[in-house]
Amino acid sequence: MSRNADVAIIGAGTAGLTAFRQVRQITTNVVLINDGPYGTTCARVGCMPSKVLIEVAKKFARRKHFEQFGIQGSDYLTINRQQVMQHIRNLRDWFVARVMDSVDKIGEKNISGRARFIEPQVLEVNGEKIYAQKVVIATGSRPVVPPDWYSFGEQVITTDQFFELADLPDSIAIIGLGAIGSEIGQSLARLGVKVIGIEQQTQVCGLTDPAVNQIAINEFSQEFELWLGTSAQLSKTDSGQIKVTTTDGRSITVDKVLAALGRRPNIDNLGLEVFGLDLSQGLNQLINPNTMQLGDLPLFVAGDVASLRPILHEVADEGAIAGYNAARATVTAFKRRVPFRIAFTDPQIIIVGATFAELAGQNIVIGERSFVVQGRTKVMARTHGHLRIYADRHSGQLLGSEMMIPDGEYVGHFLALAMEKAMTVRDIMLTPFYHPTVMEGLENALSAIVAQLEGEASGLSLRKM
Ligand SMILES: Cc1cc2nc3c(=O)[nH]c(=O)nc-3n(C[C@H](O)[C@H](O)[C@H](O)COP(=O)(O)OP(=O)(O)OC[C@H]3O[C@@H](n4cnc5c(N)ncnc54)[C@H](O)[C@@H]3O)c2cc1C
Ligand SMILES: NC(=O)c1ccc[n+]([C@@H]2O[C@H](COP(=O)([O-])OP(=O)(O)OC[C@H]3O[C@@H](n4cnc5c(N)ncnc54)[C@H](O)[C@@H]3O)[C@@H](O)[C@H]2O)c1
């Protein structure tokens, strides 16, 4: 059995489905091959169920402020953990069903099975050969789990299993405090789980600015125990619990461990060896991030498997670029968006544009603002957080920002657009800043930069007519 295709797409996640939509605009001779459960990582076990957990935990945590608002009786509020997990699954199912609507429309062009190259431009799926002019590899990633941790069975879980839990454990060690560990760790602590967060670095959530990182550590420490700069080993206790021992000599016994150590690309068993590629530096080193082409091969790589920017809007962009190029005779380069990451902790952690670390050695000015004493956060009883913005000292152009602030997602989007438009701090200050808003804190940080660039008597932030 065999068939020919102009384009074969491997993987029906967000990247693969976006690529499919692009290719379909040019040719109907396309196949989409997916192994394993449909519904995308984002909807099934990623962005969406984790955001539901965070939302519930955030709502429950607000009860601690009710008394000061004059809202009484918050001591009587309790959490039904099984119902929380069921609620997450109910919404998860709704998100997955929406994805499945678009998958179902693909019909016979959609093949369920594991794809593998047997020759360049020849894939094998379920014993069938597919001769493809071009191939988009969009096979995603999977959680990193040290091999010896599998022996702990269901006591060591990843986000692939977490949302299936019928109930929450009484105690959990979260190992790795990137976005996954920080978001889930804080949420579980808020739902009454005893959480210990362990991170081998001294930074959390990818923050590189020491001032903002310290704020994040302080915030998390108020809600759960943190062990930073150390990595963990696991062993079983006589009572069947897990003993977590760290390289700096500390130990704790917990019911479960969440491995949140990062994710690795799904490239094994794809048969990439038929191309004779040198993968020793990683597949991502061979991918052009503007065309998503792999070297000069008729192959395009998109999404988490590319390990370039493994977050959803970037994954979708990569799928669109890969699909666009795979369907055409010539390859077009596309400018990527301003880097932008949000961790949905509370307050949210945002990194937008160049990071503090990336700007090391450059001539920058920094504007900053604490949100501990700020009108809007005082009104909201959310007096937490810190914002730092970086601008070029010579041109005044905004270069980047790291922050942990309430409702930071909106500030982050606003700054991303300003950077996309290569705006200076002066340009940005021409926007109205409404009172009283969180955005006024940004205005203060921008003013601090203007004062450094132009002196304290820097005039009005209005254009002369
Ligand atoms: C817990 C968690 C929370 C997250 N939260 C956010 C968030 O809030 N915001 C955000 O922007 N990002 C978030 N992300 C990241 C985001 O979910 C991913 O970047 C995105 O879903 C990756 O999409 P993808 O298409 O690359 O991969 P996937 O959706 O994983 O799709 C890959 C598909 O390829 C299939 N496949 C693999 N190998 C083969 C093969 N050989 N043959 C055929 N098919 C194959 C897989 O089974 C899968 O169906 C989160 C991720 C996780 C895990
Ligand atoms: N809000 C969001 O956008 C969001 C939310 C969740 C996940 N994601 C994406 O999902 C992917 C995976 O997230 P993640 O948080 O697992 O990955 P990550 O790579 O961001 O973080 C993993 C962390 O684990 C630490 N670590 C690794 N090995 C360790 C060890 N042995 N002991 C202690 N610490 C160890 C690393 O230092 C790192 O800080 C990322 O690409 C992330 O962007 C995004």
mmCIF file of all heavy atoms in Angstrom, residues 61-105:
data_model
loop_
_atom_site.group_PDB
_atom_site.id
_atom_site.type_symbol
_atom_site.label_atom_id
_atom_site.label_comp_id
_atom_site.label_asym_id
_atom_site.label_seq_id
_atom_site.Cartn_x
_atom_site.Cartn_y
_atom_site.Cartn_z
ATOM 1 N N ALA A 61 -7.656 31.646 47.166
ATOM 2 C CA ALA A 61 -6.680 32.427 47.937
ATOM 3 C C ALA A 61 -7.208 33.828 48.260
ATOM 4 O O ALA A 61 -6.820 34.425 49.258
ATOM 5 C CB ALA A 61 -5.365 32.525 47.158
ATOM 6 N N ARG A 62 -8.113 34.332 47.438
ATOM 7 C CA ARG A 62 -8.641 35.684 47.677
ATOM 8 C C ARG A 62 -9.401 35.777 48.996
ATOM 9 O O ARG A 62 -9.573 36.859 49.552
ATOM 10 C CB ARG A 62 -9.570 36.112 46.528
ATOM 11 C CG ARG A 62 -8.871 36.427 45.234
ATOM 12 C CD ARG A 62 -7.807 37.495 45.389
ATOM 13 N NE ARG A 62 -8.349 38.822 45.610
ATOM 14 C CZ ARG A 62 -7.641 39.839 46.075
ATOM 15 N NH1 ARG A 62 -6.367 39.693 46.371
ATOM 16 N NH2 ARG A 62 -8.191 41.024 46.254
ATOM 17 N N ARG A 63 -9.895 34.622 49.503
ATOM 18 C CA ARG A 63 -10.706 34.652 50.724
ATOM 19 C C ARG A 63 -9.950 35.310 51.871
ATOM 20 O O ARG A 63 -10.551 35.885 52.782
ATOM 21 C CB ARG A 63 -11.155 33.238 51.113
ATOM 22 C CG ARG A 63 -10.061 32.394 51.759
ATOM 23 C CD ARG A 63 -10.460 30.942 51.864
ATOM 24 N NE ARG A 63 -9.470 30.149 52.599
ATOM 25 C CZ ARG A 63 -8.264 29.806 52.140
ATOM 26 N NH1 ARG A 63 -7.881 30.194 50.947
ATOM 27 N NH2 ARG A 63 -7.436 29.091 52.878
ATOM 28 N N LYS A 64 -8.623 35.243 51.816
ATOM 29 C CA LYS A 64 -7.821 35.796 52.915
ATOM 30 C C LYS A 64 -7.942 37.316 52.995
ATOM 31 O O LYS A 64 -7.566 37.913 53.990
ATOM 32 C CB LYS A 64 -6.355 35.394 52.729
ATOM 33 C CG LYS A 64 -6.168 33.892 52.869
ATOM 34 C CD LYS A 64 -4.730 33.485 52.801
ATOM 35 C CE LYS A 64 -4.615 31.986 53.038
ATOM 36 N NZ LYS A 64 -3.393 31.424 52.550
ATOM 37 N N HIS A 65 -8.419 37.941 51.937
ATOM 38 C CA HIS A 65 -8.563 39.404 51.935
ATOM 39 C C HIS A 65 -9.983 39.849 52.242
ATOM 40 O O HIS A 65 -10.237 41.039 52.403
ATOM 41 C CB HIS A 65 -8.143 39.964 50.572
ATOM 42 C CG HIS A 65 -6.707 39.686 50.255
ATOM 43 N ND1 HIS A 65 -5.682 40.498 50.681
ATOM 44 C CD2 HIS A 65 -6.132 38.654 49.610
ATOM 45 C CE1 HIS A 65 -4.529 39.981 50.282
ATOM 46 N NE2 HIS A 65 -4.772 38.856 49.636
ATOM 47 N N PHE A 66 -10.919 38.892 52.294
ATOM 48 C CA PHE A 66 -12.329 39.268 52.410
ATOM 49 C C PHE A 66 -12.616 40.055 53.690
ATOM 50 O O PHE A 66 -13.368 41.015 53.679
ATOM 51 C CB PHE A 66 -13.223 38.022 52.364
ATOM 52 C CG PHE A 66 -13.329 37.403 50.986
ATOM 53 C CD1 PHE A 66 -14.010 36.203 50.802
ATOM 54 C CD2 PHE A 66 -12.766 38.021 49.876
ATOM 55 C CE1 PHE A 66 -14.128 35.632 49.533
ATOM 56 C CE2 PHE A 66 -12.867 37.447 48.615
ATOM 57 C CZ PHE A 66 -13.551 36.244 48.443
ATOM 58 N N GLU A 67 -11.994 39.613 54.791
ATOM 59 C CA GLU A 67 -12.270 40.231 56.087
ATOM 60 C C GLU A 67 -12.028 41.744 56.033
ATOM 61 O O GLU A 67 -12.855 42.540 56.472
ATOM 62 C CB GLU A 67 -11.379 39.571 57.145
ATOM 63 C CG GLU A 67 -11.855 39.714 58.572
ATOM 64 C CD GLU A 67 -13.147 38.941 58.865
ATOM 65 O OE1 GLU A 67 -13.356 37.864 58.282
ATOM 66 O OE2 GLU A 67 -13.940 39.460 59.667
ATOM 67 N N GLN A 68 -10.871 42.136 55.434
ATOM 68 C CA GLN A 68 -10.544 43.571 55.378
ATOM 69 C C GLN A 68 -11.515 44.341 54.488
ATOM 70 O O GLN A 68 -11.697 45.541 54.644
ATOM 71 C CB GLN A 68 -9.103 43.801 54.904
ATOM 72 C CG GLN A 68 -8.802 43.270 53.536
ATOM 73 C CD GLN A 68 -7.459 43.742 52.977
ATOM 74 O OE1 GLN A 68 -7.255 44.908 52.732
ATOM 75 N NE2 GLN A 68 -6.547 42.800 52.802
ATOM 76 N N PHE A 69 -12.167 43.644 53.527
ATOM 77 C CA PHE A 69 -13.158 44.323 52.678
ATOM 78 C C PHE A 69 -14.512 44.451 53.401
ATOM 79 O O PHE A 69 -15.424 45.080 52.883
ATOM 80 C CB PHE A 69 -13.425 43.518 51.393
ATOM 81 C CG PHE A 69 -12.245 43.360 50.459
ATOM 82 C CD1 PHE A 69 -12.156 42.269 49.613
ATOM 83 C CD2 PHE A 69 -11.247 44.322 50.402
ATOM 84 C CE1 PHE A 69 -11.097 42.120 48.735
ATOM 85 C CE2 PHE A 69 -10.177 44.177 49.527
ATOM 86 C CZ PHE A 69 -10.089 43.069 48.693
ATOM 87 N N GLY A 70 -14.615 43.778 54.555
ATOM 88 C CA GLY A 70 -15.903 43.758 55.249
ATOM 89 C C GLY A 70 -16.775 42.597 54.803
ATOM 90 O O GLY A 70 -17.964 42.553 55.085
ATOM 91 N N ILE A 71 -16.190 41.662 54.059
ATOM 92 C CA ILE A 71 -16.946 40.469 53.641
ATOM 93 C C ILE A 71 -16.662 39.378 54.667
ATOM 94 O O ILE A 71 -15.499 38.975 54.811
ATOM 95 C CB ILE A 71 -16.513 40.004 52.227
ATOM 96 C CG1 ILE A 71 -16.651 41.142 51.220
ATOM 97 C CG2 ILE A 71 -17.314 38.780 51.785
ATOM 98 C CD1 ILE A 71 -16.061 40.835 49.841
ATOM 99 N N GLN A 72 -17.679 38.945 55.380
ATOM 100 C CA GLN A 72 -17.432 38.039 56.497
ATOM 101 C C GLN A 72 -17.787 36.592 56.171
ATOM 102 O O GLN A 72 -18.498 36.327 55.218
ATOM 103 C CB GLN A 72 -18.202 38.532 57.725
ATOM 104 C CG GLN A 72 -17.550 39.798 58.251
ATOM 105 C CD GLN A 72 -18.312 40.449 59.365
ATOM 106 O OE1 GLN A 72 -19.452 40.110 59.642
ATOM 107 N NE2 GLN A 72 -17.674 41.421 60.005
ATOM 108 N N GLY A 73 -17.237 35.686 56.952
ATOM 109 C CA GLY A 73 -17.584 34.270 56.807
ATOM 110 C C GLY A 73 -16.584 33.486 55.971
ATOM 111 O O GLY A 73 -16.799 32.309 55.669
ATOM 112 N N SER A 74 -15.485 34.107 55.581
ATOM 113 C CA SER A 74 -14.540 33.410 54.693
ATOM 114 C C SER A 74 -13.897 32.201 55.369
ATOM 115 O O SER A 74 -13.459 31.273 54.691
ATOM 116 C CB SER A 74 -13.452 34.362 54.187
ATOM 117 O OG SER A 74 -12.761 34.917 55.262
ATOM 118 N N ASP A 75 -13.883 32.207 56.727
ATOM 119 C CA ASP A 75 -13.310 31.054 57.442
ATOM 120 C C ASP A 75 -14.082 29.775 57.144
ATOM 121 O O ASP A 75 -13.581 28.674 57.325
ATOM 122 C CB ASP A 75 -13.354 31.284 58.960
ATOM 123 C CG ASP A 75 -12.358 32.346 59.371
ATOM 124 O OD1 ASP A 75 -11.518 32.707 58.523
ATOM 125 O OD2 ASP A 75 -12.449 32.837 60.515
ATOM 126 N N TYR A 76 -15.328 29.938 56.690
ATOM 127 C CA TYR A 76 -16.161 28.754 56.445
ATOM 128 C C TYR A 76 -15.958 28.176 55.043
ATOM 129 O O TYR A 76 -16.516 27.146 54.711
ATOM 130 C CB TYR A 76 -17.648 29.103 56.664
ATOM 131 C CG TYR A 76 -17.926 29.488 58.103
ATOM 132 C CD1 TYR A 76 -18.077 30.823 58.462
ATOM 133 C CD2 TYR A 76 -17.998 28.513 59.096
ATOM 134 C CE1 TYR A 76 -18.288 31.191 59.777
ATOM 135 C CE2 TYR A 76 -18.214 28.873 60.414
ATOM 136 C CZ TYR A 76 -18.353 30.209 60.749
ATOM 137 O OH TYR A 76 -18.561 30.559 62.056
ATOM 138 N N LEU A 77 -15.193 28.883 54.219
ATOM 139 C CA LEU A 77 -14.983 28.386 52.852
ATOM 140 C C LEU A 77 -14.021 27.207 52.873
ATOM 141 O O LEU A 77 -12.986 27.256 53.534
ATOM 142 C CB LEU A 77 -14.420 29.497 51.960
ATOM 143 C CG LEU A 77 -15.355 30.668 51.670
ATOM 144 C CD1 LEU A 77 -14.643 31.743 50.858
ATOM 145 C CD2 LEU A 77 -16.611 30.199 50.939
ATOM 146 N N THR A 78 -14.374 26.166 52.171
ATOM 147 C CA THR A 78 -13.488 24.997 52.098
ATOM 148 C C THR A 78 -13.339 24.573 50.648
ATOM 149 O O THR A 78 -14.101 25.010 49.780
ATOM 150 C CB THR A 78 -14.063 23.793 52.892
ATOM 151 O OG1 THR A 78 -15.376 23.527 52.395
ATOM 152 C CG2 THR A 78 -14.103 24.052 54.375
ATOM 153 N N ILE A 79 -12.367 23.723 50.432
ATOM 154 C CA ILE A 79 -12.100 23.227 49.080
ATOM 155 C C ILE A 79 -12.504 21.758 48.998
ATOM 156 O O ILE A 79 -12.127 20.974 49.869
ATOM 157 C CB ILE A 79 -10.581 23.372 48.781
ATOM 158 C CG1 ILE A 79 -10.295 24.759 48.231
ATOM 159 C CG2 ILE A 79 -10.066 22.323 47.826
ATOM 160 C CD1 ILE A 79 -10.737 24.995 46.806
ATOM 161 N N ASN A 80 -13.257 21.413 47.975
ATOM 162 C CA ASN A 80 -13.520 20.008 47.682
ATOM 163 C C ASN A 80 -12.554 19.614 46.552
ATOM 164 O O ASN A 80 -12.785 19.926 45.387
ATOM 165 C CB ASN A 80 -14.984 19.827 47.242
ATOM 166 C CG ASN A 80 -15.304 18.377 46.926
ATOM 167 O OD1 ASN A 80 -14.435 17.610 46.502
ATOM 168 N ND2 ASN A 80 -16.543 17.995 47.149
ATOM 169 N N ARG A 81 -11.458 18.970 46.946
ATOM 170 C CA ARG A 81 -10.380 18.730 45.982
ATOM 171 C C ARG A 81 -10.805 17.837 44.821
ATOM 172 O O ARG A 81 -10.394 18.065 43.680
ATOM 173 C CB ARG A 81 -9.190 18.088 46.677
ATOM 174 C CG ARG A 81 -8.520 18.984 47.687
ATOM 175 C CD ARG A 81 -7.454 18.159 48.363
ATOM 176 N NE ARG A 81 -6.761 18.882 49.393
ATOM 177 C CZ ARG A 81 -5.800 18.344 50.133
ATOM 178 N NH1 ARG A 81 -5.448 17.092 49.960
ATOM 179 N NH2 ARG A 81 -5.209 19.052 51.052
ATOM 180 N N GLN A 82 -11.642 16.832 45.123
ATOM 181 C CA GLN A 82 -12.093 15.951 44.025
ATOM 182 C C GLN A 82 -12.913 16.752 43.019
ATOM 183 O O GLN A 82 -12.787 16.565 41.814
ATOM 184 C CB GLN A 82 -12.966 14.793 44.542
ATOM 185 C CG GLN A 82 -12.178 13.747 45.298
ATOM 186 C CD GLN A 82 -12.457 13.851 46.782
ATOM 187 O OE1 GLN A 82 -12.560 14.947 47.332
ATOM 188 N NE2 GLN A 82 -12.589 12.720 47.413
ATOM 189 N N GLN A 83 -13.733 17.666 43.569
ATOM 190 C CA GLN A 83 -14.576 18.478 42.666
ATOM 191 C C GLN A 83 -13.714 19.436 41.844
ATOM 192 O O GLN A 83 -14.017 19.702 40.676
ATOM 193 C CB GLN A 83 -15.584 19.255 43.514
ATOM 194 C CG GLN A 83 -16.912 19.407 42.827
ATOM 195 C CD GLN A 83 -17.907 20.106 43.747
ATOM 196 O OE1 GLN A 83 -17.929 19.860 44.956
ATOM 197 N NE2 GLN A 83 -18.720 20.981 43.179
ATOM 198 N N VAL A 84 -12.651 19.943 42.460
ATOM 199 C CA VAL A 84 -11.730 20.820 41.712
ATOM 200 C C VAL A 84 -11.161 20.047 40.530
ATOM 201 O O VAL A 84 -11.172 20.526 39.388
ATOM 202 C CB VAL A 84 -10.576 21.321 42.612
ATOM 203 C CG1 VAL A 84 -9.506 22.028 41.774
ATOM 204 C CG2 VAL A 84 -11.094 22.247 43.708
ATOM 205 N N MET A 85 -10.689 18.813 40.788
ATOM 206 C CA MET A 85 -10.073 18.030 39.702
ATOM 207 C C MET A 85 -11.112 17.690 38.628
ATOM 208 O O MET A 85 -10.805 17.692 37.437
ATOM 209 C CB MET A 85 -9.417 16.746 40.254
ATOM 210 C CG MET A 85 -8.226 16.996 41.166
ATOM 211 S SD MET A 85 -7.004 18.145 40.518
ATOM 212 C CE MET A 85 -6.195 17.177 39.249
ATOM 213 N N GLN A 86 -12.342 17.416 39.063
ATOM 214 C CA GLN A 86 -13.391 17.115 38.073
ATOM 215 C C GLN A 86 -13.708 18.347 37.239
ATOM 216 O O GLN A 86 -13.904 18.268 36.018
ATOM 217 C CB GLN A 86 -14.650 16.599 38.789
ATOM 218 C CG GLN A 86 -15.675 15.968 37.860
ATOM 219 C CD GLN A 86 -15.053 14.890 36.950
ATOM 220 O OE1 GLN A 86 -14.390 13.978 37.417
ATOM 221 N NE2 GLN A 86 -15.253 15.016 35.634
ATOM 222 N N HIS A 87 -13.733 19.500 37.891
ATOM 223 C CA HIS A 87 -13.995 20.762 37.174
ATOM 224 C C HIS A 87 -12.907 20.988 36.106
ATOM 225 O O HIS A 87 -13.212 21.355 34.962
ATOM 226 C CB HIS A 87 -13.998 21.911 38.184
ATOM 227 C CG HIS A 87 -14.033 23.276 37.566
ATOM 228 N ND1 HIS A 87 -15.077 23.715 36.787
ATOM 229 C CD2 HIS A 87 -13.122 24.294 37.574
ATOM 230 C CE1 HIS A 87 -14.823 24.957 36.365
ATOM 231 N NE2 HIS A 87 -13.642 25.322 36.822
ATOM 232 N N ILE A 88 -11.646 20.719 36.492
ATOM 233 C CA ILE A 88 -10.546 20.879 35.527
ATOM 234 C C ILE A 88 -10.779 19.953 34.328
ATOM 235 O O ILE A 88 -10.665 20.364 33.174
ATOM 236 C CB ILE A 88 -9.184 20.564 36.199
ATOM 237 C CG1 ILE A 88 -8.870 21.618 37.261
ATOM 238 C CG2 ILE A 88 -8.057 20.501 35.158
ATOM 239 C CD1 ILE A 88 -7.676 21.274 38.142
ATOM 240 N N ARG A 89 -11.142 18.713 34.623
ATOM 241 C CA ARG A 89 -11.351 17.748 33.519
ATOM 242 C C ARG A 89 -12.558 18.135 32.655
ATOM 243 O O ARG A 89 -12.532 17.967 31.437
ATOM 244 C CB ARG A 89 -11.505 16.329 34.065
ATOM 245 C CG ARG A 89 -10.169 15.700 34.455
ATOM 246 C CD ARG A 89 -10.325 14.233 34.757
ATOM 247 N NE ARG A 89 -11.029 13.998 36.002
ATOM 248 C CZ ARG A 89 -10.464 14.013 37.212
ATOM 249 N NH1 ARG A 89 -9.169 14.231 37.335
ATOM 250 N NH2 ARG A 89 -11.177 13.781 38.294
ATOM 251 N N ASN A 90 -13.603 18.664 33.310
ATOM 252 C CA ASN A 90 -14.773 19.066 32.524
ATOM 253 C C ASN A 90 -14.397 20.151 31.511
ATOM 254 O O ASN A 90 -14.758 20.077 30.340
ATOM 255 C CB ASN A 90 -15.889 19.594 33.432
ATOM 256 C CG ASN A 90 -16.503 18.492 34.281
ATOM 257 O OD1 ASN A 90 -16.281 17.308 34.006
ATOM 258 N ND2 ASN A 90 -17.235 18.873 35.312
ATOM 259 N N LEU A 91 -13.674 21.160 31.989
ATOM 260 C CA LEU A 91 -13.274 22.240 31.067
ATOM 261 C C LEU A 91 -12.267 21.722 30.053
ATOM 262 O O LEU A 91 -12.315 22.066 28.873
ATOM 263 C CB LEU A 91 -12.691 23.432 31.822
ATOM 264 C CG LEU A 91 -13.651 24.305 32.630
ATOM 265 C CD1 LEU A 91 -13.067 25.689 32.844
ATOM 266 C CD2 LEU A 91 -15.001 24.450 31.977
ATOM 267 N N ARG A 92 -11.343 20.857 30.511
ATOM 268 C CA ARG A 92 -10.357 20.256 29.603
ATOM 269 C C ARG A 92 -11.086 19.549 28.444
ATOM 270 O O ARG A 92 -10.738 19.722 27.275
ATOM 271 C CB ARG A 92 -9.495 19.278 30.413
ATOM 272 C CG ARG A 92 -8.326 18.608 29.710
ATOM 273 C CD ARG A 92 -8.632 17.284 29.066
ATOM 274 N NE ARG A 92 -9.498 16.370 29.781
ATOM 275 C CZ ARG A 92 -9.095 15.417 30.629
ATOM 276 N NH1 ARG A 92 -7.830 15.248 30.877
ATOM 277 N NH2 ARG A 92 -9.993 14.607 31.202
ATOM 278 N N ASP A 93 -12.131 18.791 28.801
ATOM 279 C CA ASP A 93 -12.872 18.060 27.769
ATOM 280 C C ASP A 93 -13.515 19.028 26.773
ATOM 281 O O ASP A 93 -13.594 18.757 25.578
ATOM 282 C CB ASP A 93 -13.947 17.165 28.407
ATOM 283 C CG ASP A 93 -13.310 16.018 29.194
ATOM 284 O OD1 ASP A 93 -12.093 15.797 29.051
ATOM 285 O OD2 ASP A 93 -14.042 15.362 29.973
ATOM 286 N N TRP A 94 -13.982 20.144 27.287
ATOM 287 C CA TRP A 94 -14.602 21.149 26.410
ATOM 288 C C TRP A 94 -13.553 21.714 25.445
ATOM 289 O O TRP A 94 -13.805 21.841 24.238
ATOM 290 C CB TRP A 94 -15.195 22.265 27.286
ATOM 291 C CG TRP A 94 -15.976 23.283 26.507
ATOM 292 C CD1 TRP A 94 -17.286 23.175 26.099
ATOM 293 C CD2 TRP A 94 -15.506 24.550 26.038
ATOM 294 N NE1 TRP A 94 -17.646 24.308 25.409
ATOM 295 C CE2 TRP A 94 -16.582 25.171 25.357
ATOM 296 C CE3 TRP A 94 -14.308 25.234 26.130
ATOM 297 C CZ2 TRP A 94 -16.480 26.440 24.773
ATOM 298 C CZ3 TRP A 94 -14.207 26.495 25.544
ATOM 299 C CH2 TRP A 94 -15.270 27.083 24.871
ATOM 300 N N PHE A 95 -12.352 22.018 25.948
ATOM 301 C CA PHE A 95 -11.294 22.558 25.076
ATOM 302 C C PHE A 95 -10.869 21.508 24.040
ATOM 303 O O PHE A 95 -10.680 21.816 22.864
ATOM 304 C CB PHE A 95 -10.075 23.009 25.897
ATOM 305 C CG PHE A 95 -10.358 24.212 26.765
ATOM 306 C CD1 PHE A 95 -10.272 24.133 28.149
ATOM 307 C CD2 PHE A 95 -10.709 25.426 26.199
ATOM 308 C CE1 PHE A 95 -10.550 25.233 28.952
ATOM 309 C CE2 PHE A 95 -10.987 26.533 26.987
ATOM 310 C CZ PHE A 95 -10.910 26.438 28.364
ATOM 311 N N VAL A 96 -10.744 20.263 24.489
ATOM 312 C CA VAL A 96 -10.327 19.201 23.568
ATOM 313 C C VAL A 96 -11.404 18.992 22.486
ATOM 314 O O VAL A 96 -11.085 18.824 21.301
ATOM 315 C CB VAL A 96 -10.045 17.889 24.335
ATOM 316 C CG1 VAL A 96 -9.898 16.712 23.384
ATOM 317 C CG2 VAL A 96 -8.787 18.041 25.185
ATOM 318 N N ALA A 97 -12.668 19.056 22.900
ATOM 319 C CA ALA A 97 -13.760 18.851 21.928
ATOM 320 C C ALA A 97 -13.704 19.909 20.828
ATOM 321 O O ALA A 97 -13.975 19.623 19.658
ATOM 322 C CB ALA A 97 -15.107 18.892 22.638
ATOM 323 N N ARG A 98 -13.331 21.113 21.191
ATOM 324 C CA ARG A 98 -13.239 22.181 20.175
ATOM 325 C C ARG A 98 -12.125 21.866 19.174
ATOM 326 O O ARG A 98 -12.264 22.095 17.984
ATOM 327 C CB ARG A 98 -12.985 23.534 20.842
ATOM 328 C CG ARG A 98 -14.198 24.013 21.618
ATOM 329 C CD ARG A 98 -14.011 25.402 22.164
ATOM 330 N NE ARG A 98 -13.888 26.374 21.090
ATOM 331 C CZ ARG A 98 -13.294 27.559 21.218
ATOM 332 N NH1 ARG A 98 -12.758 27.905 22.361
ATOM 333 N NH2 ARG A 98 -13.221 28.397 20.211
ATOM 334 N N VAL A 99 -11.006 21.340 19.689
ATOM 335 C CA VAL A 99 -9.923 20.950 18.777
ATOM 336 C C VAL A 99 -10.411 19.814 17.883
ATOM 337 O O VAL A 99 -10.180 19.803 16.669
ATOM 338 C CB VAL A 99 -8.667 20.492 19.561
ATOM 339 C CG1 VAL A 99 -7.593 19.977 18.606
ATOM 340 C CG2 VAL A 99 -8.115 21.626 20.422
ATOM 341 N N MET A 100 -11.121 18.853 18.491
ATOM 342 C CA MET A 100 -11.552 17.679 17.731
ATOM 343 C C MET A 100 -12.522 18.042 16.605
ATOM 344 O O MET A 100 -12.559 17.381 15.573
ATOM 345 C CB MET A 100 -12.180 16.627 18.663
ATOM 346 C CG MET A 100 -11.175 15.985 19.618
ATOM 347 S SD MET A 100 -9.622 15.498 18.831
ATOM 348 C CE MET A 100 -10.175 14.212 17.734
ATOM 349 N N ASP A 101 -13.291 19.133 16.808
ATOM 350 C CA ASP A 101 -14.169 19.596 15.720
ATOM 351 C C ASP A 101 -13.342 19.873 14.471
ATOM 352 O O ASP A 101 -13.710 19.482 13.367
ATOM 353 C CB ASP A 101 -14.884 20.906 16.118
ATOM 354 C CG ASP A 101 -16.047 20.629 17.038
ATOM 355 O OD1 ASP A 101 -16.438 19.455 17.158
ATOM 356 O OD2 ASP A 101 -16.560 21.601 17.642
ATOM 357 N N SER A 102 -12.186 20.550 14.657
ATOM 358 C CA SER A 102 -11.378 20.888 13.479
ATOM 359 C C SER A 102 -10.641 19.657 12.958
ATOM 360 O O SER A 102 -10.459 19.506 11.752
ATOM 361 C CB SER A 102 -10.406 22.039 13.773
ATOM 362 O OG SER A 102 -9.522 21.677 14.790
ATOM 363 N N VAL A 103 -10.263 18.732 13.843
ATOM 364 C CA VAL A 103 -9.596 17.493 13.387
ATOM 365 C C VAL A 103 -10.589 16.657 12.564
ATOM 366 O O VAL A 103 -10.254 16.144 11.497
ATOM 367 C CB VAL A 103 -9.060 16.683 14.582
ATOM 368 C CG1 VAL A 103 -8.573 15.312 14.142
ATOM 369 C CG2 VAL A 103 -7.937 17.439 15.292
ATOM 370 N N ASP A 104 -11.824 16.553 13.056
ATOM 371 C CA ASP A 104 -12.818 15.722 12.369
ATOM 372 C C ASP A 104 -13.070 16.213 10.949
ATOM 373 O O ASP A 104 -13.327 15.421 10.043
ATOM 374 C CB ASP A 104 -14.130 15.685 13.163
ATOM 375 C CG ASP A 104 -13.955 14.915 14.473
ATOM 376 O OD1 ASP A 104 -12.954 14.162 14.584
ATOM 377 O OD2 ASP A 104 -14.791 15.084 15.371
ATOM 378 N N LYS A 105 -12.981 17.531 10.760
ATOM 379 C CA LYS A 105 -13.245 18.094 9.419
ATOM 380 C C LYS A 105 -12.173 17.680 8.416
ATOM 381 O O LYS A 105 -12.379 17.771 7.211
ATOM 382 C CB LYS A 105 -13.304 19.625 9.504
ATOM 383 C CG LYS A 105 -14.553 20.131 10.195
ATOM 384 C CD LYS A 105 -14.755 21.616 9.961
ATOM 385 C CE LYS A 105 -15.920 22.133 10.794
ATOM 386 N NZ LYS A 105 -15.549 22.903 11.942
#
